[in-house]
Amino acid sequence: MTVVFTDIKNDIAVITIDNPPVNALSHALRSELSNALEGINNNTKIIAAVIICAGRTFCAGADIKEFGKPPLSPTLPDLMEQMDEFEKPLIAAINGTALGGGFELALCCHHRVMDVNAKVGLPEVNLGLIPGAGGTQRLPRLIGLAHALQMITSGKPINAEKAKKLGISEKVSEHNLLEDAISFAKGADVRRIRDLKVDGSTEEVENFQNKIARRSRGFLAPFAALDALKASMELPFEEGIVFEREKFMELVSSSHSKAQRHLFFAERAATKVDGIDKTTPIRKINHVGVIGGGIMGCGIAINFLSAGMAVSLLEISNEAVAAAGEKIRNIYQSMVNKGRISEEQMQTAINQLNLITDYDGLSNSDLIIEAVFEDLNVKKEVFRKLDNIAKEGAIIATNTSFLDINEMANVTTRKSDILGLHFFSPAHIMPLLEIVKTDDTSNEVIATAFQLAKNIRKTPVLSGVCYGFIANRMSSCYGREAGLLLLEGATVEQVDQTMFDFGMPMGMFTMLDMAGIDIGVMARAKLPNGSYDERAFSIHAELVEKGHKGQKTGAGFYLYEGKEKKHNPEIDKIAEKMAHDFGISRCRKTTKEIEERCILALINEGYKILEEEIALSASDIDVVYAFAFGFPRYKGGPMHYAEHLGLKYVVDRINEFAVQYGDRWWKPSSLLVKRAKESE
Ligand code: 3H9
């Protein structure tokens, strides 16, 4: 299949790249583009060339699927060199998004014309990489070090207006990109970025390193990018390119980049569900009803308001609904204060909010999500009411974190329209949306939920019904081991620090203190005896009984003075007493054991979830844990990490824990055992 086409319009060559879906720079494309450029260079009748892409976007970068395979000539750097040597003015006409190698290709052109809606960026850090086709050497030469540092380490694209301001593009096209690029080409000269000097200093790089140290903790790529940017100032262009290439090659074969690339494809694979395709009807969602004006309900409402949908938010009294309205306004105001949205955008969103106290006010909603108290009977009552008032075809969803959605659906006469939409707190920020299908949810409703997730910019993953679904079911196993470790002699600080060093955003006990220890204690109180390990959560219960519920009460697993946390000596005493009562012997715990107990518990539960077909694939589980709980992306999620450790090793360690601590929890999933055998 041909992917590069050349057309001569008077004396200008138009090279069109057509490699759907995103014009990734595959080997075929590189090779055909290289031939096309050679032909044009040799054709004396042609005075300039324009490179444009067919379809919705300019090149989205190197073909990520080719990474890890032996590079085929011409490589992207070979092609870039050829473009640099090109003797006639070369113009990139950019539509959609020019990303990574795609933007680097545009930087090898002598000039850039951008469609008014186009964006450019170097998102390689998100894949555990740095730009490897000259981006770290050309971009600082073109726009100065400070802006290049920002763009390359954040990976965030910028729009046409900003690109023009920075000097990336010379023209913004408002009407016809190709025509504008051709007319630009007629008067253009040859201007090679490699001949420019970088405006910046080594000191700037060092300062920037301190600035990103916290947010980039654990990642390799942002720091490698800094080294390459430093090289852009310290080395001649040709040597800088070699330095960049070496760093790129190191990263591409690192476990970090493999893990981050795994998550890139996993996130996209999670949206593909058997039985659902482009022909599955999707319902229109213009009006959303939200029941419950707590933190969760308000956060959920903001998602829809920000996406331009009307929201009716229901609370039980005028006071409660007014308080919810105030909460939403405050959240929007803080977004304005931080410069994330404009005053006008805030007003547009808030104008779409309707505060109500009567269920009848939800009768026009296309989707109703309840976020009331986490109690099955309370939720069933809400579902009965909704069944009476919701219009035909409305989708009714629960935001429950743990409860049985089949039971909720069973009290209605429209079981196929019911599902779980599980947001994570704070709901307007956290990226994951667990879409929970019951035994009866229709494909049409599931497809609509996936479309909805896209509209509100969430990452969706489908889950079946079980206690805690994918995310919280796994997390409770991690919580169990963390709790048991305290009884066995580890300290709160030791467990938290170990998991922080592993790469989690915070330790389990810091997280519990932030969320409120009472929430879990209340949820467990409703569980049948024996369904969880009472010992593991005994310290939690004792703390709550004393009113020490975490940060909000000034004491929990830590003591708080303002936001500063300190050791809480009370925990050591409670842990000793509980260990004695349960007959658990205490000893010093190693970092290795703490890490493995927590992580292998997650992995084993992940395999059980897969075995029970609650999750459709292992990669879905990785997406859930990375996006809901911040599992370090450079480790790819618990299931990918298990492969990295070696499945046989994982099974062996679980069996050792079974001998040491009993097999009540430490029984390896049969699927894990099977896969471990296969991997041998
Ligand atoms: C790089 O360039 C390195 C260089 O510096 C140096 C090299 C030497 N390759 O996201 P979508 C697939 S690193 C292969 O659903 P959207 C994607 O998997 C690269 N495949 O669409 C999906 O496939 P499927 C730096 C790719 O409209 C389909 O295209 N570039 C690539 O929501 C549609 O994708 C990036 O990191 C690729 N590069 O978003 C950009 N990109 O249908 C990565 C996409 O089978 N791409 N696919 O699931 C993106 O950010 C988004 O895809 C984009 C479109 C914004 C372009």
Side-chain angles (χ1 to χ4, degrees):
M1 194 181 86
T2 309
V3 289
V4 175
F5 304 85
T6 307
D7 190 15
I8 316 287
K9 292 199 187 257
N10 298 322
D11 44 8
I12 308 286
V14 176
I15 305 172
T16 304
I17 294 174
D18 189 2
N19 188 24
V22 293
N23 294 313
L25 293 154
S26 63
H27 174 243
L29 195 162
R30 297 193 303 269
S31 167
E32 288 179 32
L33 181 56
S34 169
N35 291 339
L37 288 168
E38 200 179 320
I40 294 165
N41 231 359
N42 295 335
N43 186 338
T44 50
K45 288 190 191 129
I46 297 173
I47 59 161
V50 170
I51 300 181
I52 193 161
C53 289
R56 59 191 160 114
T57 184
F58 198 79
C59 302
D63 189 336
I64 306 169
K65 291 186 192 102
E66 285 184 3
F67 292 156
K69 298 179 189 162
L72 292 175
S73 189
T75 63
L76 208 44
D78 294 341
L79 181 66
M80 303 293 163
E81 203 178 319
Q82 184 187 358
M83 289 173 71
D84 241 350
E85 300 300 327
F86 198 70
E87 287 157 13
K88 298 169 186 179
L90 193 52
I91 286 80
I94 303 171
N95 66 320
T97 40
L99 298 177
F103 182 33
E104 291 173 294
L105 182 112
L107 289 172
C108 282
C109 293
H110 305 129
H111 304 276
R112 285 143 295 279
V113 175
M114 281 176 79
D115 178 76
V116 66
N117 295 313
K119 289 183 177 171
V120 293
L122 293 170
E124 283 87 343
V125 283
N126 299 328
L127 299 170
L129 297 170
I130 61 167
T136 64
Q137 306 303 299
R138 286 193 182 87
L139 192 61
R141 281 179 164 77
L142 184 64
I143 63 173
L145 180 70
H147 294 297
L149 279 167
Q150 189 60 40
M151 277 186 77
I152 294 176
T153 59
S154 74
K156 287 193 183 131
I158 58 166
N159 63 23
E161 190 193 340
K162 180 144 191 217
K164 172 103 186 344
K165 228 182 249 171
L166 293 180
I168 290 173
S169 73
E170 281 110 312
K171 187 171 174 55
V172 175
S173 167
E174 306 237 359
H175 302 294
N176 187 321
L177 179 65
L178 181 59
E179 273 177 20
D180 285 343
I182 290 177
S183 75
F184 186 93
K186 284 179 182 153
D189 57 351
V190 171
R191 191 172 82 116
R192 296 188 175 96
I193 294 177
R194 68 171 185 202
D195 297 334
L196 305 174
K197 259 192 85 65
V198 181
D199 177 12
S201 68
T202 309
E203 204 186 354
E204 263 178 86
V205 179
E206 278 153 17
N207 291 341
F208 202 82
Q209 177 153 351
N210 296 333
K211 198 170 144 191
I212 64 163
R214 226 178 110 209
R215 81 167 129 95
S216 304
R217 180 177 65 92
F219 287 88
L220 297 173
F223 300 101
L226 294 184
D227 290 343
L229 282 158
K230 214 171 177 182
S232 77
M233 284 176 302
E234 293 172 348
L235 300 177
F237 180 80
E238 294 69 23
E239 288 176 36
I241 286 283
V242 173
F243 183 88
E244 176 200 82
R245 186 77 188 149
E246 279 169 8
K247 286 266 165 198
F248 177 85
M249 293 311 283
E250 259 171 46
L251 288 170
V252 90
S253 58
S254 69
S255 63
H256 278 220
S257 178
K258 281 179 195 155
Q260 287 174 255
R261 272 147 41 205
H262 160 75
L263 275 178
F264 174 86
F265 288 115
E267 199 185 337
R268 280 151 183 86
T271 61
K272 296 182 178 81
V273 174
D274 273 354
I276 293 178
D277 57 26
K278 285 192 181 116
T279 63
T280 313
I282 287 178
R283 296 187 196 169
K284 277 213 161 64
I285 309 286
N286 296 320
H287 190 284
V288 180
V290 176
I291 307 177
I295 304 255
M296 208 61 202
C298 289
I300 292 172
I302 287 173
N303 283 298
F304 298 105
L305 292 169
S306 298
M309 287 173 239
V311 173
S312 293
L313 188 141
L314 179 103
E315 256 295 354
I316 45 166
S317 66
N318 288 332
E319 294 74 43
V321 87
E326 195 56 28
K327 239 178 262 163
I328 291 177
R329 250 185 298 276
N330 288 342
I331 294 175
Y332 270 116
Q333 190 58 55
S334 85
M335 290 191 220
V336 172
N337 297 346
K338 287 177 188 153
R340 297 213 176 115
I341 58 168
S342 67
E343 193 89 35
E344 198 188 336
Q345 282 170 314
M346 167 172 93
Q347 221 37 63
T348 310
I350 289 177
N351 287 346
Q352 293 270 70
L353 176 66
N354 185 20
L355 300 169
I356 57 172
T357 53
D358 190 338
Y359 270 77
D360 284 341
L362 299 173
S363 59
N364 274 333
S365 298
D366 306 306
L367 162 73
I368 305 171
I369 307 175
E370 71 74 22
V372 301
F373 189 62
E374 195 73 348
D375 179 295
L376 189 57
N377 290 329
V378 174
K379 298 216 185 241
K380 278 186 181 168
E381 196 43 43
V382 168
F383 268 71
R384 276 190 201 99
K385 283 187 187 156
L386 290 177
D387 196 27
N388 285 331
I389 59 96
K391 70 178 182 189
E392 202 186 320
I395 296 175
I396 304 181
T398 169
N399 179 53
T400 182
S401 312
F402 290 97
L403 301 172
D404 187 339
I405 307 176
N406 278 314
E407 287 205 38
M408 294 178 215
N410 285 344
V411 303
T412 72
T413 54
R414 43 174 109 198
K415 292 198 259 184
S416 60
D417 290 338
I418 310 273
L419 85 170
L421 290 178
H422 182 213
F423 292 80
F424 292 77
S425 188
H428 60 292
I429 292 174
M430 293 299 286
L432 188 75
L433 180 66
E434 260 182 326
I435 297 174
V436 188
K437 73 178 176 79
T438 68
D439 295 344
D440 301 289
T441 311
S442 70
N443 278 353
E444 189 175 322
V445 168
I446 296 171
T448 306
F450 271 97
Q451 182 57 49
L452 191 73
K454 195 169 182 186
N455 296 348
I456 61 170
R457 298 180 183 196
K458 295 284 179 205
T459 299
V461 172
L462 191 66
S463 170
V465 174
C466 67
Y467 183 76
F469 318 124
I470 301 172
N472 284 330
R473 174 168 160 183
M474 287 176 75
S475 195
S476 56
C477 297
Y478 164 22
R480 178 195 71 223
E481 289 311 306
L484 287 172
L485 281 159
L486 293 190
L487 300 183
E488 292 165 19
T491 64
V492 167
E493 285 82 356
Q494 205 188 353
V495 176
D496 274 1
Q497 190 63 46
T498 302
M499 298 315 290
F500 181 76
D501 292 344
F502 177 79
M504 300 299 282
M506 63 183 83
M508 178 52 85
F509 299 113
T510 306
M511 188 167 88
L512 286 171
D513 272 0
M514 269 176 75
I517 309 167
D518 50 326
I519 295 173
V521 170
M522 274 193 296
R524 278 184 292 273
K526 296 198 186 91
L527 290 178
N529 280 344
S531 58
Y532 69 98
D533 194 322
E534 293 80 1
R535 302 167 307 164
F537 301 100
S538 57
I539 302 178
H540 310 47
E542 178 101 1
L543 282 171
V544 171
E545 210 174 299
K546 292 182 170 175
H548 298 170
K549 299 176 188 172
Q551 246 185 51
K552 61 187 170 189
T553 59
F557 286 100
Y558 295 91
L559 295 176
Y560 294 88
E561 270 169 30
K563 278 203 167 160
E564 206 180 306
K565 60 179 191 201
K566 281 190 185 161
H567 177 72
N568 185 355
E570 187 189 5
I571 305 292
D572 308 325
K573 287 190 202 123
I574 304 176
E576 269 172 43
K577 179 183 165 295
M578 293 289 179
H580 178 265
D581 293 352
F582 291 122
I584 294 174
S585 54
R586 287 167 64 80
C587 63
R588 266 189 69 80
K589 291 281 162 185
T590 63
T591 302
K592 179 171 188 271
E593 179 178 346
I594 294 171
E595 182 182 304
E596 290 197 334
R597 291 270 297 276
C598 295
I599 297 300
L600 299 193
L602 270 182
I603 293 171
N604 199 28
E605 201 61 22
Y607 271 98
K608 287 183 188 167
I609 285 171
L610 200 54
E611 197 177 298
E612 293 167 26
E613 296 180 358
I614 297 296
L616 297 181
S617 68
S619 67
D620 278 6
I621 295 174
D622 286 337
V623 174
V624 166
Y625 225 78
F627 286 77
F629 297 110
F631 194 94
R633 289 186 185 212
Y634 53 83
K635 287 186 171 145
M639 308 299 271
H640 178 87
Y641 187 60
E643 306 261 348
H644 170 78
L645 290 175
L647 297 187
K648 183 181 178 314
Y649 176 80
V650 172
V651 172
D652 288 349
R653 287 297 284 152
I654 290 175
N655 285 331
E656 281 164 33
F657 288 145
V659 172
Q660 232 174 323
Y661 301 107
D663 64 0
R664 181 176 175 196
W665 308 116
W666 289 113
K667 206 177 279 169
S669 124
S670 35
L671 182 64
L672 171 60
V673 173
K674 182 171 166 266
R675 295 260 168 99
K677 280 204 180 111
E678 284 164 4
S679 71
E680 277 180 74

